[in-house]
Amino acid sequence: MKFREKFLSKITLIVVVFLLIKIKAQQTEIKLNAAFVPLTMLNVAIEKPLNKKFSIQAEGFISPWKSLYGKNMQFYMGTLEGRYYFDEVMKKWYIGAYGSIAAFNIQKWNYLRSTVVYDADGNPELLSNGNIRVTERYQKGLAVIIGISGGYHYSINDQWGLDIYAGIGATQSLYKGYFKDNNVRYDGAEGWNKSGEVIPTRGGVMLTYKLK
């Protein structure tokens, strides 16, 4: 008897959760960041309302390219964001707070150009042909981001809309740095390097579609 009661209670709970999800799905929006499509990067999201003012958004950002326009630009990032709308959920102005986790193989903005490689004595390294060694550098690692965001949700009609937003976050990274010409580490460390900075980490124009 107890087994049957537990079984029925679980079935009831599953049905209730399914119905709640189905009801909520009628207001759920799926999104595609149009700003990154020309760069062949995929940035998609799904936003669900929690009440009349608050919503939650899950987002994925994928750049699968080990080389894009000759630069290392491979990263995978997941973001969870909470939003507060000043007018009504999924309408007009909002602010938010978010957390992200990322894995990357990229060239930071200050490592995009080739520079001279120096030896331990501070002298330029020479290649076998006598030329000075010049190469780019790249970084591989993991990052955790905590930040704040803001934006404007514009409704085109009952189903389609635009979500224009930007975010800035405190980034903590563990990474290893490599020379691009031979994939040997340039930082002289055996373990992971650590870095922290406050930088823009999100932004774009999302094309939104409300599920019914």
Side-chain angles (χ1 to χ4, degrees), residues 39-175:
L39 299 176
T40 64
M41 299 178 185
L42 181 63
N43 184 196
V44 295
I46 181 169
E47 183 178 5
K48 294 176 68 70
L50 300 176
N51 53 39
K52 293 182 179 181
K53 292 284 188 178
F54 289 92
S55 71
I56 188 168
Q57 175 167 295
E59 182 179 332
F61 200 158
I62 298 173
S63 176
W65 313 111
K66 290 184 178 180
S67 178
L68 183 65
Y69 307 113
K71 307 298 180 181
N72 290 48
M73 195 59 66
Q74 184 180 43
F75 58 88
Y76 304 89
M77 182 166 66
T79 299
L80 190 62
E81 178 187 27
R83 292 181 171 182
Y84 172 80
Y85 285 83
F86 294 99
D87 185 50
E88 182 181 341
V89 70
M90 294 182 180
K91 290 184 179 180
K92 300 183 178 180
W93 295 103
Y94 65 84
I95 57 173
Y98 64 92
S100 303
I101 298 176
F104 59 86
N105 176 351
I106 62 172
Q107 289 175 248
K108 293 184 178 181
W109 65 271
N110 52 336
Y111 288 96
L112 292 174
R113 294 183 178 182
S114 296
T115 56
V116 175
V117 179
Y118 295 91
D119 60 23
D121 297 322
N123 300 313
E125 289 189 9
L126 298 179
L127 301 174
S128 58
N129 61 6
N131 291 334
I132 293 176
R133 182 185 176 194
V134 178
T135 186
E136 296 178 19
R137 296 160 172 80
Y138 68 95
Q139 299 77 33
K140 296 172 66 175
L142 303 170
V144 176
I145 305 165
I146 301 295
I148 56 175
S149 58
Y152 187 88
H153 195 299
Y154 174 75
S155 297
I156 298 174
N157 55 36
D158 290 341
Q159 286 189 279
W160 293 95
L162 295 174
D163 183 3
I164 305 167
Y165 70 100
I168 186 170
T171 305
Q172 296 294 322
S173 302
L174 295 174
Y175 70 94

